[in-house]
Amino acid sequence: MATSDTAAPGTPALDPPALKALLERTLSTVIADWVRELELRVIDAARGDVLLALPVTPRHVHGGGVISGQTLMAAADTAMVLAVTSQLGEFRPMTTVQLQTSFLRPVPGDAGEALVHARVLRAGKSLAFGDIQITHGGDRRVLAAHATTTYALL
């Protein structure tokens, strides 16, 4: 997993188990209750780089038989909050300023899970910029959605 090359000065480095614990704690205590219902799981993480699993469940599949765009955008936004948290070495209040999402291919309702890969492109004192890719399809990954984000660090 690649890491972001921009770190805030004085940012503590966390070993992998401590980083995963920080991200799981952030998921369970900071993220809104309805977003926790997505059941996102941290698969891998490094500074500024997070990989989550998004289970594809019937509650997130719309009448067309594919996962809803709202679910994918919520997962992308949440993944980037965790990526910024991993970059900073701690959770810091932040808010989404911009989330631009392109839906490239549908995620079928029977896909099992999608992977959400978020990485920080740049983090400064007051803003963080990121990139998210959502894929599905087992060994042959299909790019389903791509998003770019800007966050204000409060």
Side-chain angles (χ1 to χ4, degrees):
M1 175 167 269
T3 59
S4 173
D5 56 2
T6 306
T11 302
L14 297 175
D15 61 48
L19 180 56
K20 189 171 182 181
L22 168 65
L23 298 178
E24 289 172 348
R25 187 171 54 255
T26 301
L27 265 177
S28 67
T29 62
V30 176
I31 304 302
D33 290 343
W34 73 269
V35 177
R36 282 199 294 272
E37 292 177 11
L38 294 175
E39 299 176 353
L40 294 164
R41 289 184 334 273
V42 178
I43 294 175
D44 197 10
R47 176 181 248 150
D49 198 323
V50 173
L51 182 64
L52 304 179
L54 167 64
V56 178
T57 61
R59 74 180 325 164
H60 301 294
V61 175
H62 65 58
V66 298
I67 197 165
S68 71
Q70 295 94 331
T71 295
L72 296 177
M73 289 182 76
D77 194 44
T78 304
M80 188 52 64
V81 167
L82 296 178
V84 172
T85 297
S86 75
Q87 179 76 19
L88 299 174
E90 64 183 2
F91 175 77
R92 221 173 114 189
M94 63 188 86
T95 190
T96 309
V97 173
Q98 177 267 339
L99 174 62
Q100 172 67 43
T101 307
S102 296
F103 300 99
L104 306 170
R105 297 225 188 260
V107 178
D110 62 357
E113 75 177 11
L115 296 179
V116 186
H117 182 200
R119 64 189 177 99
V120 175
L121 300 174
R122 184 179 189 301
K125 291 179 185 175
S126 60
L127 293 175
F129 302 89
D131 181 80
I132 304 114
Q133 293 188 354
I134 301 176
T135 61
H136 70 91
D139 291 338
R140 189 167 163 252
R141 302 308 306 169
V142 174
L143 182 61
H146 176 256
T148 58
T149 60
T150 304
Y151 287 83
L153 304 175
L154 305 176

